[in-house]
Amino acid sequence: MSSTPSQRAAAPGHMWRIGPAIALTLGLLLTACGSDDSAKHDRQHGDAAGSATGSFEEAIAVRQKSGCAKAMPMFQKLAERGRGYEVAELQLGECYLERADKAESPEQAKDMRVKAADWIVKAANADQPEAQQEAAKLYLDGIGVAANRIEAGKWFLILQHNPLRSVLGPAVLDQALTLHLQQGLSASDWQEAQSQANRWQPSGRTSQSHF
């Protein structure tokens, strides 16, 4: 069994999560701190943040009560706002994955999984930590994307060092994902994954790499 270059994986346990509305609000605040462009963005869109948060709460409530089919249009409107709405992007991606399992045809299921991966990876590239964990799973299993264990390892390493984990979670990394990556990647795979992680930068912001 191959292991990561250093034994940094978190201990087994339950993933800690905060409420989705709080997560969105924190995301709005944290992603506003990257650059002068971010400040300009906030001045232009700050008035919409409060109403968007309320819409997110409503979308979550609809998803819990009636399922993703009814909640997805609400998540879509939020996700299309772009930077600052990464939690909505993640929720939309998760809904596409859920609906793919109930698709009427293999072609429809494939299309939904591709859309799911697009939204989840977009949120991951914007430094949303839970989306980074989901992106690692997608690339490891080839769901909506071509299977790529090095890309999966890259996202896992980025997630490990993401300082937003302490605020937005997951505080404890997925144990099964950790194990599968340790078993599936060779030392040279981890070296390449680390190299790619070192070069990665969050999209739409001027913040530096986590490494």
Side-chain angles (χ1 to χ4, degrees):
M1 178 178 72
S2 299
S3 61
T4 56
S6 60
Q7 298 300 321
R8 296 173 295 184
H14 296 289
M15 282 204 308
W16 174 81
R17 294 176 182 264
I18 60 176
I22 297 175
L24 178 62
T25 302
L26 288 170
L28 288 168
L29 293 172
L30 290 167
T31 54
C33 300
S35 64
D36 292 340
D37 288 341
S38 178
K40 180 179 179 181
H41 177 276
D42 292 334
R43 287 194 298 270
Q44 293 173 338
H45 300 286
D47 291 341
S51 60
T53 302
S55 297
F56 184 79
E57 292 173 333
E58 293 171 6
I60 289 294
V62 170
R63 181 181 180 184
Q64 292 173 343
K65 181 179 180 179
S66 304
C68 277
K70 291 187 177 181
M72 286 177 70
M74 303 172 74
F75 287 133
Q76 183 86 31
K77 289 180 180 179
L78 289 167
E80 287 175 351
R81 292 176 180 267
R83 185 164 51 84
Y85 297 88
E86 290 80 16
V87 181
E89 293 171 357
L90 174 60
Q91 289 283 333
L92 181 58
E94 289 178 344
C95 274
Y96 270 117
L97 287 177
E98 181 179 311
R99 293 197 65 194
D101 291 337
K102 304 173 184 177
E104 296 179 355
S105 68
E107 292 77 13
Q108 187 180 48
K110 180 180 179 180
D111 180 66
M112 287 183 176
R113 291 188 178 105
V114 169
K115 290 178 179 178
D118 285 346
W119 283 111
I120 291 170
V121 172
K122 181 179 180 181
N125 271 309
D127 218 13
Q128 213 291 329
E130 287 195 57
Q132 290 169 351
Q133 180 162 262
E134 294 306 309
K137 294 177 183 179
L138 294 178
Y139 278 103
L140 184 62
D141 296 332
I143 298 174
V145 292
N148 186 328
R149 63 181 184 274
I150 293 175
E151 186 74 6
K154 181 196 83 172
W155 281 117
F156 184 78
L157 293 170
I158 291 169
L159 170 67
Q160 279 188 313
H161 291 83
N162 190 339
L164 296 181
R165 280 179 55 207
S166 63
V167 180
L168 302 176
V172 178
L173 302 181
D174 186 285
Q175 184 180 3
L177 173 65
T178 302
L179 181 61
H180 289 163
L181 287 170
Q182 288 177 339
Q183 292 176 337
L185 273 69
S186 66
S188 61
D189 289 337
W190 281 115
Q191 185 176 12
E192 177 59 27
Q194 184 69 70
S195 177
Q196 292 185 19
N198 290 343
R199 296 193 299 270
W200 176 83
Q201 294 285 345
S203 61
R205 287 159 55 191
T206 58
S207 56
Q208 299 298 310
S209 168
H210 300 323
F211 299 88

